[in-house]
Amino acid sequence: MKRLFFVVLAAALLWSGYWFVGAYGAKAGFSAWFSARQNDGWQAEYSDLALRGFPNRFDATFSDLALADPQSGLAWEMPFFQILALSYKPNHVIAIWPNSQRISTPNDKYEVTSTDLRASLVLDAGTSLPLNRANLASGAMALGNLTSGETATLEALHVAVQHTGPADNTYQFAVAADGFAPSIPMRITIDPANLLPKRLTALKADLVIGFDRPWDRFAIENARPQPTEMHIKLAEAHWGDLQLQLAGRVTLDTDGRPSGKITIKARNWRDILKMATAAGVLPKNLAGPLEQGLSMLANMAGNPKTLDIPLDFANGRMSLGPIPLGAAPIFRLR
């Protein structure tokens, strides 16, 4: 019995030593990371770092966290941020956000309020900490543009990311924004007669994206990986009687110019076209000729209310069926 007692005591002392050494190492690692970012010209600050969770967890809580990358112009401010991990499984991390945070881009500032926003990340072995898979979920969320005063809301957000294999830099994404409601000024612009419901009944996407580099810690420290190919298995939006679906595949050159084809299926497409014109997505001088051309194609297909047509990308240009639309968008991550 005494021998068992001493064995248990020794194991407890060893585990306690492991935890305190691990906690010290984690705290030192966080401090070194912030110092390195400051040396790179970032704003990387926090007022306090508490590391708790003995004996089975490493729970790091940053207070008054502020990060700003001068190259991308992106900045992030939060009253606190938590990174939680089991001490015996440190490659599985839980991230917890506060109910309010501020995000700045080179053009706008946003106030993000959310309910129970958290993410689960599983990282592969290696000093670069490559992403294996991740899941992010939130309850009710509001995105307020502090520059324009507009606020969009949603009832729930779900995002899942899975690295498809160790031999490439391809990731599968599944995104669903439940109960998305555009801002009131945007609704007034695109739906002045107030004919559509307040919220979309569906807004989701299932896609696979290949990148030129893996998503790991260097993606934050140095530069974002850039997409090289995109396979849209299905992306769809339903808003009242309006339905829009996208599917297809494009490749992207080093400048982010797409080549390939995406098939568009649109129900009540004329109303969608009017909304795109009102929102400024489609130039007004193109709206009339485009509607005439699409109307002819829809009538030839036998259903004037439903459109099924390819969106082609080639040589930096894009066209909707036989109708040229102009320069193709550039896909680059800041």
Side-chain angles (χ1 to χ4, degrees):
M1 193 68 180
K2 288 183 178 180
R3 183 176 298 176
L4 178 60
F5 170 77
F6 284 113
V7 169
V8 173
L9 179 61
L13 290 173
L14 287 172
W15 185 259
S16 298
Y18 164 77
W19 189 91
F20 283 105
V21 170
Y24 176 82
K27 200 166 186 177
F30 285 130
S31 178
W33 188 88
F34 275 80
S35 295
R37 301 290 71 71
Q38 291 170 357
N39 291 335
D40 289 339
W42 285 44
Q43 178 192 12
E45 303 170 348
Y46 55 85
S47 64
D48 183 60
L49 169 57
L51 213 153
R52 303 183 178 90
F54 178 82
N56 292 322
R57 304 181 62 88
F58 294 129
D59 294 349
T61 301
F62 298 87
S63 299
D64 303 316
L65 179 63
L67 296 172
D69 178 3
Q71 291 188 350
S72 66
L74 300 177
W76 188 24
E77 296 178 47
M78 293 175 290
F80 76 88
F81 181 66
Q82 290 183 305
I83 299 176
L84 317 178
L86 294 171
S87 55
Y88 54 85
K89 193 186 291 186
N91 68 318
H92 187 180
V93 177
I94 304 296
I96 299 178
W97 282 264
N99 291 337
S100 178
Q101 55 185 303
R102 182 166 294 187
I103 299 173
S104 301
T105 71
N107 301 318
D108 294 290
K109 292 184 178 180
Y110 299 91
E111 185 78 23
V112 181
T113 58
S114 57
T115 303
D116 197 26
L117 174 59
R118 61 181 61 207
S120 170
L121 298 89
V122 176
L123 309 173
D124 288 328
T127 56
S128 64
L129 302 177
L131 177 66
N132 180 287
R133 63 184 183 274
N135 288 278
L136 180 145
S138 174
M141 178 179 287
L143 178 64
N145 188 319
L146 300 179
T147 306
S148 66
E150 300 183 17
T151 300
T153 63
L154 52 86
E155 295 174 344
L157 176 66
H158 303 277
V159 180
V161 183
Q162 174 73 57
H163 186 201
T164 59
D168 56 31
N169 300 320
T170 303
Y171 300 80
Q172 183 165 1
F173 295 79
V175 182
D178 300 334
F180 175 74
S183 66
I184 293 177
M186 177 62 73
R187 282 182 50 82
I188 293 173
T189 299
I190 63 180
D191 182 29
N194 198 27
L195 300 176
L196 294 170
K198 180 181 178 181
R199 299 182 181 275
L200 279 71
T201 53
L203 183 60
K204 54 187 177 181
D206 182 6
L207 61 161
V208 177
I209 304 177
F211 296 90
D212 59 357
R213 296 187 303 278
W215 281 92
D216 53 24
R217 69 181 180 90
F218 297 119
I220 300 175
E221 297 175 3
N222 299 330
R224 261 51 67 196
Q226 296 302 323
T228 58
E229 58 180 340
M230 184 185 307
H231 178 199
I232 304 175
K233 294 184 174 181
L234 179 63
E236 57 184 328
H238 296 179
W239 194 4
D241 292 331
L242 309 181
Q243 296 184 13
L244 180 66
Q245 295 181 327
L246 307 176
R249 189 189 299 266
V250 297
T251 59
L252 305 167
D253 64 17
T254 54
D255 294 323
R257 290 189 296 259
S259 298
K261 180 175 70 175
I262 295 175
T263 299
I264 298 177
K265 294 184 178 182
R267 179 182 174 186
N268 294 324
W269 61 271
R270 287 182 177 82
D271 292 330
I272 297 176
L273 198 64
K274 292 176 182 178
M275 290 170 56
T277 305
V281 177
L282 181 67
K284 292 183 179 180
N285 62 331
L286 283 179
L290 185 59
E291 182 176 2
Q292 292 177 4
L294 295 178
S295 178
M296 180 180 65
L297 293 174
N299 287 326
M300 291 174 61
N303 189 344
K305 289 188 177 182
T306 301
L307 193 66
D308 191 341
I309 191 169
L311 179 64
D312 292 302
F313 301 92
N315 302 318
R317 313 291 291 180
M318 61 180 178
S319 60
L320 193 59
I323 305 170
L325 297 180
I330 301 297
F331 294 89
R332 299 287 293 176
L333 299 181
R334 297 187 65 90

